Amino acid sequence: MKKRIGLYVGIAVVSGLLLVWLLLPSDEERIRGQFDELSRIASKTEDASTIADALVLADFRSLFAPKVLLKTGRARLAGEYTNQELMQLYGRIRVNAKRLSLRFERIEFVSLNDAEAIVNSDVHAGGTAKQGKSRAESFRAEVRLSKLEGDWLFQQFTYLDSLPDD
């Protein structure tokens, strides 16, 4: 009887561990989720309120490592920022915009280990200022993420090349 109970408990434990292992997202899935989350948070619709603008800033900052390096084609945005400074920069952009959009496509993993990931992606960014002027840009970027305290955080964005117009 005791052997049978031990066998059933052993099978239950192994089954439970297998189920947990199968249901937990892989690092690759978690990183893709971070790109989706950044797209969602950084995008703004015309009907977004000032309160909504303020509420997304903390979520925006939480996606980035303490130090973030932007290597862009635009000298005024390039440089090293703290996640707080990056949040403030984004906040100024968001307040002055009527509409913003950001999306990542063709996410390709260049390297992935326990502490760092390098990903190439097509980036499509656009926006309309409150004065009505619109701007859109599509480019290929290399994105580095670091795993800090179990979370994948954006650490570096490097502009690689512009994409042809659709």
Side-chain angles (χ1 to χ4, degrees):
M1 181 75 158
K2 287 183 181 181
K3 286 183 180 181
R4 202 177 280 174
I5 291 173
L7 178 65
Y8 290 144
V9 169
I11 290 172
V13 168
V14 169
S15 298
L17 291 174
L18 181 62
L19 187 62
V20 167
W21 180 75
L22 289 173
L23 295 178
L24 283 178
S26 68
D27 280 338
E28 199 170 297
E29 291 168 328
R30 291 175 61 210
I31 289 169
R32 287 181 190 279
Q34 288 294 84
F35 279 97
D36 291 343
E37 187 70 3
L38 180 56
S39 294
R40 185 188 66 76
I41 290 171
S43 297
K44 175 183 177 179
T45 60
E46 284 188 56
D47 59 348
S49 69
T50 305
I51 293 171
D53 286 347
L55 291 174
V56 301
L57 292 181
D59 291 339
F60 182 84
R61 187 180 86 193
S62 72
L63 295 174
F64 295 91
K67 295 280 186 192
V68 180
L69 183 60
L70 300 181
K71 295 180 177 181
T72 68
R74 301 192 188 295
R76 69 174 214 192
L77 289 178
E80 186 173 70
Y81 298 89
T82 65
N83 56 6
Q84 179 72 27
E85 292 168 333
L86 196 59
M87 177 193 75
Q88 291 169 344
L89 175 63
Y90 171 67
R92 286 193 296 274
I93 292 169
R94 189 172 175 98
V95 163
N96 291 310
K98 187 188 313 183
R99 186 175 39 246
L100 293 170
S101 67
L102 177 67
R103 78 179 189 279
F104 298 90
E105 295 178 347
R106 290 188 26 199
I107 295 172
E108 300 166 354
F109 286 81
V110 176
S111 70
L112 175 61
N113 61 43
D114 291 341
E116 184 180 73
I118 300 174
V119 178
N120 287 344
S121 176
D122 292 350
V123 181
H124 303 279
T128 303
K130 288 188 176 176
Q131 298 80 17
K133 185 177 177 184
S134 292
R135 182 177 182 101
E137 188 173 4
S138 295
F139 56 94
R140 188 84 176 146
E142 177 186 87
V143 182
R144 291 179 184 260
L145 298 97
S146 293
K147 194 173 195 179
L148 300 171
E149 298 178 14
D151 293 324
W152 285 102
L153 302 176
F154 294 102
Q155 181 180 358
Q156 180 177 318
F157 291 83
T158 303
Y159 175 93
L160 297 176
D161 198 12
S162 62
L163 294 175
D165 294 331
D166 293 331

